[in-house]
């Protein structure tokens, strides 16, 4: 089964091609890792995934989506992040981290508290907004904070923050890093014509709009160890008819490959609250396929991939190199182990051999007990 073949990315080998997509938990205080993050991500490593990626982690305090986001803007965050990376690696998965600046989508509510701008209810909890930035001064949506357009000086500060985050990620023990350039966040706001109306060399045509994201990626690649892989998450399409098309993403991905990026993680949408393209099972997989075939770079497919057969078909047919699972893994943290059984990639005499020993021992005993019910032993 292609899905369960080990895959080498530079000096790092994933035990299979199933990865955990970064999923914000909005549960940190001042950006620090706590027990929730350890438990949440540790269960996916125990569940058999090849790579577990930590949620969007703010490179500056102002780059958090909410007050509850993880952070990596200080060396003080390293010990907690190291504990998190160690927990993931303890069960055989590769530990990755996504570094991000939310740009004009920052300083907002946690989804379950409104998913909009901070209001009086949040103020009473001691959570107030902070100034936000973007490629231009266009708000994310009506009623949202008006961002300040980055100047060349503040762009240099942002770039340095990403570089510092890469260094801290390495010190914390992560073996893979992903630069977040999707979902309407800061780097994506430069790429999209919906959010970038600059008149300098960082705006205008697509060559200008992709200049700053490419500069950031180049700086991160230079700071990140050469033996460790670098991913970039993109919104392959903005999801708006007037937004960035897939052909621009192909061009961007070719440039990313030249800079030493190993995988383009193909999501979509987020530049605005609405999404005008069709959605269905695996609806973003064709974007990963097109980028892979036309840009000649490895890709990860993500989005409504719900079972092992679907995931196997994606990699077996060459649509993508990796399959990222998000919400389906929240419903079933053992998705990877179940997919292995679903696809017949386990020895029927030892069906739990890939499970953690502490778990497998119990399940093997239960299986033997059940066999006695039908006279099979």
């Amino acid at each position: 089964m292609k899905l369960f073949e080990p895959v080498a990315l530079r000096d790092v080998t994933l035990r299979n091609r199933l990865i955990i997509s970064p999923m914000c938990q909005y549960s940190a205080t001042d950006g620090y890792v706590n027990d929730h993050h350890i438990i949440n991500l540790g269960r996916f490593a125990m569940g058999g995934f090849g790579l577990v990626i930590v949620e969007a982690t703010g490179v500056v305090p102002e780059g958090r989506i909410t007050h509850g986001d993880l952070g990596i803007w200080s060396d003080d965050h390293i010990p907690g992040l190291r504990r998190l990376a160690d927990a993931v690696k303890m069960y055989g998965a590769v530990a990755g981290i996504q570094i991000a600046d939310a740009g004009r989508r920052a300083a907002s509510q946690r989804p379950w508290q409104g998913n909009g701008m901070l209001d009086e209810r949040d103020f009473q909890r001691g959570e107030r907004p902070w100034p936000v930035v973007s490629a231009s001064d266009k708000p994310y949506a009506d009623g949202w904070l008006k961002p300040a357009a980055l100047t060349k000086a503040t762009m240099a500060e942002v770039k340095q923050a990403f570089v510092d985050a890469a260094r801290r990620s390495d010190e914390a023990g992560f073996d893979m890093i992903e630069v977040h350039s999707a979902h309407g966040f800061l780097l994506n706001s430069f790429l999209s014509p919906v959010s970038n109306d600059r008149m300098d060399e960082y705006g205008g045509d697509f060559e200008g709009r992709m200049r700053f994201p490419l500069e950031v990626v180049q700086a991160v690649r230079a700071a990140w160890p050469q033996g460790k892989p670098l991913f970039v998450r993109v919104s392959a399409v903005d999801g708006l008819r007037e937004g960035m098309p897939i052909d621009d993403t192909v061009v961007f991905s070719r440039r990313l490959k030249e800079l030493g990026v190993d995988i383009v993680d193909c999501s979509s949408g987020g530049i605005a609250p609405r999404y005008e393209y069709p959605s269905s099972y695996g609806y973003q997989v064709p974007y990963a396929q097109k980028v892979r075939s036309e840009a000649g770079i490895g890709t990860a497919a993500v989005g409504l991939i719900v079972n092992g057969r679907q995931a196997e078909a994606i990699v077996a047919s060459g649509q993508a190199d990796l399959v990222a699972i998000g919400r389906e893994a929240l419903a079933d943290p053992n998705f990877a182990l179940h997919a292995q059984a679903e696809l017949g990639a386990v020895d029927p005499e030892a069906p739990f051999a890939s499970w953690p020993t502490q778990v497998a021992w119990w399940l093997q005993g239960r299986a033997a007990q059940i066999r006695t019910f039908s006279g099979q032993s």
Side-chain angles (χ1 to χ4, degrees):
M1 296 296 170
K2 184 81 170 177
L3 191 63
F4 290 97
E5 292 177 2
V7 56
L9 299 171
R10 296 187 182 250
D11 296 341
V12 176
T13 299
L14 279 57
R15 60 186 170 187
N16 59 53
R17 296 170 184 268
L18 284 169
I19 70 177
I20 285 291
S21 192
M23 290 178 283
C24 288
Q25 298 294 293
Y26 310 108
S27 298
T29 301
D30 297 325
Y32 289 99
V33 169
N34 58 41
D35 289 347
H36 172 82
H37 302 100
I38 305 294
I39 294 167
N40 179 57
L41 293 182
R43 60 182 176 157
F44 302 132
M46 291 182 71
F49 284 88
L51 167 66
V52 175
I53 308 176
V54 177
E55 66 189 73
T57 305
V59 300
V60 293
E62 301 80 13
R64 291 173 294 166
I65 309 165
T66 76
H67 280 267
D69 289 24
L70 284 178
I72 195 168
W73 61 82
S74 165
D75 285 357
D76 292 340
H77 290 118
I78 293 175
L81 290 167
R82 183 181 295 118
R83 181 178 170 227
L84 184 52
D86 287 347
V88 168
K89 291 192 284 189
M90 177 181 178
Y91 290 101
V94 170
I97 187 169
Q98 185 186 71
I99 56 175
D101 188 314
R104 65 182 190 163
R105 294 192 62 185
S108 61
Q109 296 171 320
R110 294 171 178 84
W112 54 84
Q113 292 172 341
N115 209 27
M117 282 289 86
L118 296 167
D119 59 25
E120 187 60 39
R121 296 168 298 172
D122 305 294
F123 302 161
Q124 291 175 5
R125 288 190 289 266
E127 296 187 348
R128 292 190 169 273
W130 54 78
V132 300
V133 298
S134 186
S136 303
D137 64 357
K138 301 167 71 173
Y140 174 64
D142 291 343
W144 285 64
L145 295 173
K146 184 175 182 178
L150 286 177
T151 64
K152 291 180 181 177
T154 51
M155 288 164 67
E157 293 172 359
V158 168
K159 186 192 303 182
Q160 186 60 49
F162 273 92
V163 167
D164 292 341
R167 172 184 60 80
R168 294 185 183 113
S169 298
D170 183 44
E171 291 184 22
F174 290 98
D175 290 318
M176 165 270 175
I177 198 169
E178 178 169 90
V179 174
H180 202 332
S181 186
H183 302 162
F185 296 149
L186 183 58
L187 298 184
N188 187 211
S189 76
F190 276 84
L191 289 166
S192 174
V194 174
S195 49
N196 185 345
D197 59 9
R198 298 175 72 102
M199 301 300 290
D200 63 4
E201 66 266 40
Y202 294 97
D205 61 14
F206 190 58
E207 183 67 28
R209 298 200 310 274
M210 66 178 172
R211 190 183 309 277
F212 182 58
L214 289 173
E215 289 180 357
V216 170
V217 171
Q218 183 175 27
V220 169
R221 180 69 271 182
W224 185 239
Q226 287 302 301
K228 295 185 177 183
L230 172 62
F231 291 23
V232 174
R233 172 159 276 200
V234 300
S235 283
V237 295
D238 281 339
L240 306 179
R241 300 302 175 186
E242 71 273 23
M244 180 172 159
I246 183 61
D247 288 340
D248 281 357
T249 298
V250 170
V251 172
F252 183 53
S253 298
R254 289 181 186 136
R255 299 289 289 275
L256 292 175
K257 181 181 180 181
E258 292 171 1
L259 296 179
V261 170
D262 300 284
I263 295 287
V264 175
D265 187 357
C266 294
S267 187
S268 69
I271 202 67
R274 69 188 193 279
Y275 189 85
E276 298 174 348
Y277 283 29
S279 296
S280 60
Y281 290 113
Y283 67 105
Q284 294 172 153
V285 174
Y287 304 139
Q289 181 179 15
K290 185 175 178 69
V291 169
R292 187 176 189 266
S293 63
E294 297 187 15
I297 191 170
T299 60
V302 63
L304 284 177
I305 299 166
V306 298
N307 59 54
R309 293 185 304 277
Q310 184 188 10
E312 168 67 19
I314 290 167
V315 294
S317 63
Q319 292 176 288
D321 299 270
L322 304 173
V323 175
I325 306 296
R327 284 168 286 187
E328 195 65 29
L330 295 177
D332 177 11
N334 295 321
F335 177 96
L337 293 170
H338 288 147
Q340 201 171 15
E342 175 188 2
L343 294 168
V346 297
D347 181 353
E349 298 299 317
F352 302 108
S354 297
W355 293 62
T357 302
Q358 303 91 327
V359 177
W361 181 85
W362 288 97
L363 295 178
Q364 288 164 0
R366 186 187 69 163
Q369 182 182 20
I370 290 173
R371 284 196 298 270
T372 67
F373 300 162
S374 57
Q376 295 179 25
S377 63

